[in-house]
């Protein structure tokens, strides 16, 4: 999410505390699906190609999951 809370950014940008959000879901025994919406915006282009940005975002997601479930 950008600073105005209006745009979906790659996980390598923005200001969402993914790890604490996932911990809260686990503490509440959430068993549903978590969906991450990512747009390839002008801001995302600074991180390279669409595929490179997605790869880096997936790495961030995996790190957050490892921290919360490990």
């Amino acid at each position: 999410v950008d600073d105005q809370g209006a745009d979906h950014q790659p996980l390598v940008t923005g200001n969402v505390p993914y790890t604490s959000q996932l911990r809260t879901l686990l503490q509440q025994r959430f068993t549903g699906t978590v969906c991450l919406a990512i747009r390839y915006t002008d801001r995302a282009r600074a991180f390279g190609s669409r595929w490179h940005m997605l790869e880096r975002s997936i790495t961030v997601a995996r790190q957050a999951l490892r921290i919360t479930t490990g």
Side-chain angles (χ1 to χ4, degrees):
V1 177
D2 66 9
D3 292 335
Q4 290 77 36
D7 197 7
H8 297 83
Q9 298 291 327
L11 272 60
V12 294
T13 67
N15 53 18
V16 175
Y18 298 103
T19 301
S20 63
Q21 300 266 331
L22 290 170
R23 277 193 185 123
T24 299
L25 289 174
L26 290 170
Q27 289 169 351
Q28 298 299 315
R29 301 188 196 290
F30 178 78
T31 60
T33 301
V34 175
C35 177
L36 301 172
I38 302 169
R39 286 185 45 204
Y40 190 64
T41 61
D42 288 338
R43 188 175 187 184
R45 284 183 184 88
F47 293 94
S49 72
R50 179 181 308 267
W51 297 114
H52 182 72
M53 182 270 306
L54 287 173
E55 179 180 52
R56 289 190 61 192
S57 292
I58 289 169
T59 298
V60 170
R62 285 183 176 146
Q63 289 171 344
L65 288 169
R66 197 172 306 120
I67 290 168
T68 57
T69 60

